[in-house]
Amino acid sequence: RWAERRRRILLIVPASLRKQWSQELWEKFSLPSVIIESKSYNQARKSGVRKPFSQDDKILISSYEFAATKADDVAAGQWDLVVYDEAHRLRNVYKQGASIRAKRLRQATKPFFKILLTATPLQNSLMELYGLVSVIDEHFFGDEASFRSTYVSASANKNALLFLRKRLEPVCKRTLRRQVQQAGLIKYTERIPFTVSFEP
């Protein structure tokens, strides 16, 4: 998107990863970024900037918590791209009365192109998958009851799960560690565990 001169890019990441994202964007790709948090937001407002989420030619980085509290500003952003890192935090967005922050973020970024990144496997419940896909498109699987009856209650049915995988292809790209190793893109440190016995 940046190469296409689409410069309205927002990254929503865990608070502890904001600086790391900013550093790596600059060091690895020479992309300028700015972290928007309560301090920088309030300073911008005091200096007369009406829309601190509107900064030209810089990638904006915000935490989940701050972006949710400023959901109206996020919604007004006209983003070319919104990236959620550690997106499994949004997996319960479909639940009634749960995850108000996730619901606010889904609503605020609804019309914009989104990429959700996570390395956390979703093995506990297919409903978590439903929740994540609903952040991209609320109507992709229909309503919750339809998804449950088609995939969750039929989870023993191998055909239903194969159909689900096929259905996910347009919105889900999964890269396994072995695929990355085969491509030679990243050298993982080989770890060889061993047990040492000792008498106290």
Side-chain angles (χ1 to χ4, degrees):
R1 290 287 192 255
W2 189 269
E4 295 168 349
R5 301 202 59 77
R6 297 185 192 175
R7 301 294 168 88
R8 303 285 299 140
I9 299 173
L10 173 65
L11 303 183
I12 300 176
V13 306
S16 60
L17 297 179
R18 291 172 302 179
K19 285 192 173 77
Q20 181 182 342
W21 264 98
S22 182
Q23 286 173 338
E24 291 193 14
L25 282 171
W26 181 250
E27 290 169 6
K28 294 182 176 167
F29 306 104
S30 300
L31 295 176
S33 64
V34 62
I35 296 171
I36 189 154
E37 56 197 351
S38 56
K39 185 178 178 183
S40 60
Y41 182 92
N42 292 335
Q43 282 177 345
R45 292 296 294 263
K46 282 179 185 173
S47 63
V49 177
R50 286 183 49 239
K51 298 179 180 179
F53 271 86
S54 294
Q55 297 195 32
D56 293 334
D57 287 340
K58 284 185 185 161
I59 296 171
L60 267 66
I61 302 172
S62 181
S63 69
Y64 278 86
E65 295 78 11
F66 189 72
T69 60
K70 301 298 181 190
D72 291 340
D73 289 340
V74 170
Q78 300 303 312
W79 306 106
D80 296 316
L81 173 65
V82 177
V83 177
Y84 286 100
D85 188 24
E86 301 294 339
H88 56 273
R89 292 173 172 228
L90 303 171
R91 67 185 178 266
N92 294 324
V93 71
Y94 70 94
K95 290 183 178 178
Q96 293 294 326
S99 195
I100 293 167
R101 179 178 64 203
K103 284 178 174 39
R104 282 185 184 155
L105 289 172
R106 178 176 67 180
Q107 190 60 33
T109 61
K110 190 175 182 176
F112 311 122
F113 184 86
K114 291 172 281 297
I115 293 178
L116 280 62
L117 304 172
T118 184
T120 301
L122 302 172
Q123 297 174 339
N124 298 332
S125 166
L126 284 177
M127 293 311 296
E128 292 179 357
L129 182 63
Y130 173 82
L132 283 177
V133 172
S134 76
V135 173
I136 296 169
D137 181 353
E138 284 184 77
H139 307 292
F140 188 82
F141 284 123
D143 64 359
E144 183 184 340
S146 300
F147 183 84
R148 280 186 190 277
S149 66
T150 306
Y151 302 109
V152 179
S153 61
S155 61
N157 182 346
K158 199 171 185 177
N159 289 335
L161 293 178
L162 289 173
F163 181 71
L164 177 59
R165 278 190 183 160
K166 196 75 178 156
R167 184 97 190 270
L168 282 169
E169 284 179 4
V171 294
C172 180
K173 303 297 177 208
R174 187 169 180 228
T175 306
L176 302 175
R177 179 182 282 240
R178 67 175 142 77
Q179 292 171 309
V180 174
Q181 286 174 316
Q182 287 169 353
L185 300 174
I186 296 176
K187 293 278 188 203
Y188 288 103
T189 303
E190 186 177 354
R191 291 181 171 87
I192 304 169
F194 64 94
T195 305
V196 177
S197 300
F198 66 95
E199 291 293 326

